[in-house]
Amino acid sequence: MNAVPKIIAITGASSGIGEASARLLAQSGATVFLGARRVERLERIVADIRAAGGNAYAAALDVTSRESMNAFIAQAVQRAGRIDVLVNNAGIMLLGPLDETGPDEWDRMVDVNIKGVLHGIGAVLPVMRAQGRGHVVNIASIAGHRVRAGATVYCPTKHAVRALSEGFRQEAGPFLRSTLISPGVVQTELPEHITHAQWASDSKTAYEIAIGADVIARAIAYAIEQPEEVDVNEIVIRPTAQSS
Ligand SMILES: NC(=O)c1ccc[n+]([C@@H]2O[C@H](COP(=O)([O-])OP(=O)(O)OC[C@H]3O[C@@H](n4cnc5c(N)ncnc54)[C@H](OP(=O)(O)O)[C@@H]3O)[C@@H](O)[C@H]2O)c1
């Protein structure tokens, strides 16, 4: 971590990659603000971090609501005086063919994976502009690099995150940093929310080669730890055994 401990907000920090990142970044000296809907889980993680001597705070967050995101960032800024990094991590992956999933699941993915990221950027951009510095880390996926059947909505949501990160980078100017992390299969709760029976079962097989969430947390930390004049724009990270 850089000499001045960073103030970092993480969305979707109640499990998986968000939780692992919160734990690792706090260990490295950052003050972390954890947001998600399952507040009791956030509070357990915050208690662990504090017991280990770290600085962490939990807040209820629904990334699909602009008001909720604005409130999440505002309370972090009020408490810490600034925000150095936003990790736009919250996401859902509801796999299955279009005609067997349906518009409710498509909407949920668009709302969390795309609008959630936009809400995060919208909340921190004025703060970071006023500070004259800041860093947005977006979590996309290998699914943001290719399209496959059964992920016909999930893939475009992650392509959108990739495009958003690059657009943000170009508009950000010389003092704001933009990082996109595109993981392959990672051992988390992500596939547990798939409602389509066949795809839920196929995912279990696909996830047999998954790498740990701590691996992605280290990639996030790497991008954050670079000197301010260094902007790590994209990291693609997958299990060695993952062919596509
Ligand atoms: N695991 C993988 O193989 C993999 C691969 C590539 C990319 N990713 C991406 O990595 C990111 C993290 O996922 P994960 O793998 O760590 O899965 P996870 O364990 O299921 O974590 C997802 C997180 O998102 C949060 N979330 C979902 N909907 C939310 C909402 N409306 N508002 C706020 N938070 C919300 C969940 O918290 P609550 O339910 O408590 O709100 C949870 O903390 C996602 O963007 C995912 O697409 C994962």
Side-chain angles (χ1 to χ4, degrees), residues 18-42:
E19 173 181 352
S21 304
R23 290 183 186 276
L24 180 70
L25 293 165
Q27 230 173 49
S28 316
T31 296
V32 288
F33 289 87
L34 288 72
R37 294 164 306 172
R38 291 171 295 173
V39 177
E40 70 295 341
R41 289 186 58 154
L42 294 179

Side-chain angles (χ1 to χ4, degrees), residues 12-18 36-38 61-64 89-92 112 139-141 154 158 183-186 188-190 193 207:
S14 58
S15 63
I17 293 169
R37 294 164 306 172
R38 291 171 295 173
L61 167 67
D62 181 348
V63 298
T64 66
N89 164 74
I92 53 172
V112 176
I139 309 303
S141 171
Y154 182 67
K158 293 303 187 177
V185 286
V186 180
T188 70
E189 296 175 13
L190 194 72
H193 304 291
Y207 272 73

Side-chain angles (χ1 to χ4, degrees), residues 155-167:
C155 288
T157 65
K158 293 303 187 177
H159 278 70
V161 174
R162 199 166 144 224
L164 260 170
S165 298
E166 174 57 12

Side-chain angles (χ1 to χ4, degrees), residues 13-135:
S14 58
S15 63
I17 293 169
E19 173 181 352
S21 304
R23 290 183 186 276
L24 180 70
L25 293 165
Q27 230 173 49
S28 316
T31 296
V32 288
F33 289 87
L34 288 72
R37 294 164 306 172
R38 291 171 295 173
V39 177
E40 70 295 341
R41 289 186 58 154
L42 294 179
E43 279 166 355
R44 281 206 296 275
I45 299 163
V46 162
D48 283 352
I49 292 173
R50 288 183 181 168
N55 293 317
Y57 302 91
L61 167 67
D62 181 348
V63 298
T64 66
S65 155
R66 194 186 307 161
E67 291 70 31
S68 176
M69 183 68 84
N70 287 342
F72 174 60
I73 296 301
Q75 56 86 30
V77 173
Q78 192 179 26
R79 193 178 282 274
R82 63 179 206 279
I83 183 109
D84 298 314
V85 184
L86 169 65
V87 183
N88 262 324
N89 164 74
I92 53 172
M93 178 187 73
L94 307 171
L95 301 182
L98 287 177
D99 45 9
E100 292 171 43
T101 49
D104 286 349
E105 295 204 347
W106 311 341
D107 279 354
R108 282 177 60 206
M109 282 187 280
V110 168
D111 288 347
V112 176
N113 298 358
I114 304 179
K115 291 188 78 175
V117 169
L118 270 174
H119 290 152
I121 290 173
V124 295
L125 190 54
V127 181
M128 290 180 177
R129 286 278 189 227
Q131 294 171 172
R133 61 194 290 275
H135 189 175

